[in-house]
Amino acid sequence: MQYKLLVVDDDASLLKMLSQYLQVRGYEILTAGDGVEALQKAATGPDLILLDVNMPRLDGMEVCRRIRDKVSCPILFLTARVEEEDRVNGLLVGGDDYIVKPFSLRELEARIQAHLKREERHRSRTEYRFGGGCLIDYAARTVQIGEQYLELTRLEYEIVEFLSMHPGQVFDRERIYERVCGPDGEGDSRVITELVRRIRRKMAACTRQEYIETVWGMGYRWKN
């Protein structure tokens, strides 16, 4: 299977280098030089998006925010920013990974392969029904409560999937972060607290039943 990647960066020389490197390795490459063009190209259904943060017209954060509910593929930010708050914000708007410039091409390709393999594993899973009318379709990557589908960001869904597949087990923020962002994820495990809060708010709009339970001083677990 040939994967299609969308590479977005306003640095023309870097865009050309990444395109050539990834094409040689068998990927189909689409490119965009700014955020507006990225919105257009994202509609073609790429398997993964490499997205620069600092761009004219629309920056990467805003592009991610606008397309996250329309595309389910991994979005990897490319950026020179190294501040913790920037990395956390990138995850909260729906990014899946944060790669700081300058980076090695081998490391970048390894990150790409890891995210694509994770996608393949997700597609092979089947649905599972929980109490209270909650239905998680692991193949379609959807969460439904009653007749209503929850509008979850990618990372929010990843947390629901991970916890629901291990009901009754307690996981601390660090373990959850490592699972949904990968062991080399750039960010802070404190983002998990905010993501869990968002998930609960969305679930509470559909049901009074609580699915994610806080175990004080330890972490979170999916209630049986």
Side-chain angles (χ1 to χ4, degrees):
M1 175 181 178
Q2 185 182 39
Y3 291 107
K4 179 166 64 175
L5 311 184
L6 171 58
V7 185
V8 186
D9 202 298
D10 65 326
D11 184 333
S13 60
L14 177 60
L15 195 62
K16 181 179 180 180
M17 179 186 67
L18 291 177
S19 298
Q20 292 176 340
Y21 178 85
L22 293 169
Q23 282 176 335
V24 167
R25 277 147 183 81
Y27 297 101
E28 177 185 350
I29 303 299
L30 300 174
T31 62
D34 59 48
V36 174
E37 187 180 3
L39 293 178
Q40 300 168 349
K41 296 289 182 68
T44 65
D47 296 298
L48 182 143
I49 300 173
L50 297 176
L51 182 59
D52 184 33
V53 172
N54 295 316
M55 294 186 296
R57 304 176 75 182
L58 282 178
D59 66 22
M61 295 285 187
E62 182 61 24
V63 171
C64 183
R65 187 179 294 109
R66 293 192 187 188
I67 68 174
R68 184 71 280 181
D69 293 335
K70 300 178 179 65
V71 300
S72 60
C73 71
I75 297 176
L76 283 61
F77 283 117
L78 305 177
T79 181
R81 295 179 179 175
V82 294
E83 294 297 325
E84 175 185 292
E85 190 65 24
D86 292 322
R87 294 195 296 266
V88 169
N89 288 337
L91 297 175
L92 288 177
V93 298
D96 298 283
D97 207 345
Y98 214 94
I99 303 173
V100 178
K101 299 176 182 179
F103 49 81
S104 76
L105 292 175
R106 291 182 61 188
E107 178 189 0
L108 176 64
E109 187 182 8
R111 296 277 189 95
I112 290 172
Q113 290 177 348
H115 282 281
L116 291 173
K117 287 179 181 178
R118 181 184 296 178
E119 286 297 291
E120 287 297 320
R121 291 195 297 269
H122 286 318
R123 290 173 186 149
S124 67
R125 291 174 179 158
T126 56
E127 66 179 33
Y128 190 89
R129 185 180 298 276
F130 293 91
C134 179
L135 177 65
I136 302 174
D137 190 327
Y138 297 119
R141 298 174 64 77
T142 60
V143 180
Q144 182 179 357
I145 297 180
E147 299 299 319
Q148 187 169 349
Y149 285 91
L150 300 187
E151 294 187 1
L152 301 176
T153 67
R154 182 180 177 83
L155 285 184
E156 288 168 357
Y157 171 80
E158 294 277 4
I159 292 172
V160 170
E161 179 183 278
F162 175 58
L163 293 178
S164 66
M165 293 185 74
H166 303 85
Q169 296 185 44
V170 179
F171 297 95
D172 60 24
R173 293 185 314 186
E174 288 72 21
R175 177 69 182 90
I176 297 172
Y177 181 85
E178 180 180 325
R179 175 61 183 80
V180 302
C181 297
D184 299 320
E186 294 283 350
D188 192 300
S189 64
R190 286 176 294 180
V191 73
I192 298 300
T193 302
E194 173 62 18
L195 291 171
V196 168
R197 186 187 67 81
R198 293 185 182 189
I199 295 167
R200 284 172 166 162
R201 186 178 67 245
K202 294 176 182 180
M203 287 183 161
C206 304
T207 180
R208 293 184 178 181
Q209 181 161 335
E210 182 180 5
Y211 290 97
I212 300 178
E213 181 180 24
T214 299
V215 182
W216 296 107
M218 299 178 65
Y220 303 100
R221 68 181 167 200
W222 189 270
K223 295 179 69 173
N224 289 313

